[in-house]
Amino acid sequence: MPLTLLRNVRPWAADASDVLLDADAIRAIGAPGTLPAPDAVAVDGDGGILIPSFSDVHVHLDSTRMGLPFRPNTAGDTRWSHIMNDRENWRSAERSVAERATYTLGRMIAQGATRVRSHAQVDADSGLEKFEGVVAAREAHRDRASVEIVAFPQVGIHLEDGVPDLLDVALRSGADLIGGIDPCEIDRDPVRHLDTVFDLADRHGVGVDIHLHEGGSLGLFSLDLVLERTRALGMAGRVSVSHAFSLADRSPGVDRALEQIAELDVALTTIAPKGSLSVPLDLPIERLLQLGVRVGLGMDGQRDYWSPWGDGDMLERTWMLAFTQGFSRDDLIEDCLAIATWGGASVIDADLPRLSPGARPGVAVGDPAELVVVRGDTATAAVMDRLPQRLVIHRGRVVAEDDDLR
């Protein structure tokens, strides 16, 4: 693969530079016009801000309706009603799972995401059809993005016959992680649920990503069971918890949970939810960065049967994270941008350096050649304005420009 020379870009909005890339990493950074690379493909960054590419580490490509006619939401008020609403409607979509997932992943890449972790529902109703659709999307964009797939039992593991076997097949067929969901509220048997999840992880040598919407003391109880199994199986650095709403209520038990999360290197992912004083949902972002906890951001559903939210743009979701956290200082807003880019990358790859408050990694010599050029006077302005015309780079090669895929 030829080298790429990015001309006139501003790493994290610093002074203009030229940046030389190969397929693996940033090879050199210098003042404009000072990097001799006659064989490189030259690309004009036009003074844009160079940051690590976005990492969407919590998305459901199997349920997306992006690009299709709008459908009013018909789900009820409970999580279970949303789960069943998806089950009742997904087969009536105008396009197959594979077509919908492929389209949405393409829109995500065009807007700057080159690292993605998607959940793919596996249950007695859909079997492996949704999983196979996400696999097809990954294959269609294999040269534009790196995609991890979680075999996700959204309807629980033990409520319907055959689900553990289906999850086993998914893991043997290319799933990268095993998922779980609300072991107390859904299966109502947290020990059996989590034993099955961690047994599958151990048997297949894969990581774990648990949806944990359960709040308060119930959520902390489930989280403690996850941490207990992480420790017992020596899975530090290989477990993620999505949502983790129980960490939002700032109760006395939260500090102990955070200390264990940091000790066991359990990653957390958030979708920037907006809670309330009575039902807080927002993770303590500043505290997580101080503790060195790996934390990433995701889009979750995208105009699907759960909700009308989600448009494939992780810069938009970065704005939402800053907004729901109540941040107005530039350094805190840029911390959110670091989470949406490098933070998510570290969720996927535990060997990457951890974020800390004020850290702006990902654009130094030796860092991965996974980059995006965004527009704005400053990094904070880029989040506030969310302008189009981005330049997206995967493995040192431009894969999207001006919002169109290459």
Side-chain angles (χ1 to χ4, degrees):
M1 179 180 291
L3 300 176
T4 297
L5 179 63
L6 280 179
R7 290 178 172 162
N8 189 21
V9 292
R10 294 179 291 137
W12 277 107
D15 293 338
S17 302
D18 288 351
V19 179
L20 185 64
L21 313 169
D22 63 20
D24 297 319
I26 297 173
R27 289 183 51 167
I29 300 175
T34 63
L35 296 181
D39 298 328
V41 176
V43 179
D44 185 7
D46 194 30
I49 299 171
L50 183 69
I51 58 175
S53 60
F54 292 106
S55 302
D56 188 331
V57 289
H58 186 108
V59 66
H60 294 261
L61 287 172
D62 59 330
S63 63
T64 176
R65 285 189 52 84
M66 279 182 58
L68 296 178
F70 187 83
R71 284 194 187 182
N73 185 271
T74 54
D77 295 329
T78 66
R79 189 167 301 110
W80 186 254
S81 72
H82 284 75
I83 291 172
M84 289 297 103
N85 191 59
D86 178 89
R87 175 173 280 194
E88 291 167 7
N89 286 284
W90 72 275
R91 283 191 174 87
S92 66
E94 296 85 342
R95 296 283 186 270
S96 69
V97 175
E99 290 171 315
R100 291 185 281 119
T102 299
Y103 173 83
T104 296
L105 180 57
R107 293 307 307 145
M108 293 165 62
I109 295 166
Q111 296 177 96
T114 71
R115 290 175 276 211
V116 174
R117 177 181 288 182
S118 176
H119 300 269
Q121 185 168 329
V122 175
D123 66 2
D125 172 62
S126 59
L128 296 178
E129 185 173 344
K130 294 184 177 182
F131 165 73
E132 290 166 349
V134 178
V135 170
R138 175 170 67 179
E139 178 64 17
H141 293 291
R142 67 184 184 278
D143 294 328
R144 299 187 183 101
S146 300
V147 179
E148 286 190 334
I149 301 176
V150 184
F152 176 49
Q154 182 157 269
V155 194
I157 297 177
H158 297 292
L159 294 181
E160 299 174 312
D161 293 338
V163 175
D165 291 337
L166 286 169
L167 293 168
D168 182 78
V169 174
L171 290 166
R172 286 190 275 112
S173 302
D176 303 283
L177 300 99
I178 179 67
I181 180 171
D182 298 334
C184 292
E185 290 186 357
I186 301 296
D187 269 339
R188 295 180 179 269
D189 191 341
V191 171
R192 188 183 182 200
H193 181 98
L194 291 173
D195 280 351
T196 303
V197 169
F198 279 87
D199 175 67
L200 286 166
D202 187 49
R203 197 187 322 159
H204 290 275
V206 299
V208 169
D209 192 325
I210 303 278
H211 279 55
L212 196 55
H213 308 91
E214 297 166 352
S217 58
L218 180 64
L220 288 176
F221 169 73
S222 292
L223 180 57
D224 192 57
L225 294 179
V226 172
L227 297 173
E228 179 183 84
R229 284 156 178 75
T230 302
R231 187 186 303 278
L233 291 172
M235 290 190 64
R238 300 177 61 202
V239 174
S240 301
V241 177
S242 298
H243 304 301
F245 292 153
S246 61
L247 299 177
D249 68 7
R250 317 302 196 262
S251 68
V254 169
D255 283 340
R256 175 177 174 273
L258 290 176
E259 290 168 1
Q260 291 188 77
I261 286 169
E263 175 196 349
L264 293 170
D265 193 16
V266 169
L268 300 176
T269 65
T270 181
I271 63 167
K274 179 60 177 174
S276 64
L277 289 176
S278 59
V279 185
L281 301 175
D282 52 311
L283 290 179
I285 291 296
E286 293 177 87
R287 178 67 173 145
L288 295 177
L289 294 181
Q290 291 165 358
L291 289 169
V293 173
R294 290 180 294 133
V295 58
L297 182 64
M299 188 72 62
D300 206 359
Q302 303 195 66
R303 285 191 61 164
D304 57 16
Y305 301 106
W306 280 63
S307 84
W309 298 100
D311 61 0
D313 187 357
M314 283 295 292
L315 192 54
E316 176 80 18
R317 191 55 54 123
T318 303
W319 181 94
M320 289 178 64
L321 179 61
F323 180 79
T324 57
Q325 290 284 320
F327 292 161
S328 57
R329 290 197 338 241
D330 286 22
D331 62 315
L332 296 177
I333 292 169
E334 291 183 23
D335 279 346
C336 293
L337 188 57
I339 287 169
T341 56
W342 190 263
S346 73
V347 170
I348 292 171
D349 182 357
D351 292 330
L352 290 178
R354 304 292 184 266
L355 279 179
S356 59
R360 304 291 178 257
V363 293
V365 172
D367 285 336
E370 302 290 326
L371 302 159
V372 60
V373 178
V374 296
R375 305 295 163 185
D377 297 327
T378 68
T380 295
V383 176
M384 293 298 104
D385 296 336
R386 304 178 299 288
L387 299 174
Q389 297 183 322
R390 300 168 201 171
L391 185 70
V392 187
I393 295 163
H394 172 60
R395 290 190 53 77
R397 182 178 67 89
V398 175
V399 296
E401 186 174 9
D402 293 337
D403 308 313
D404 288 324
L405 296 176
R406 284 191 177 182

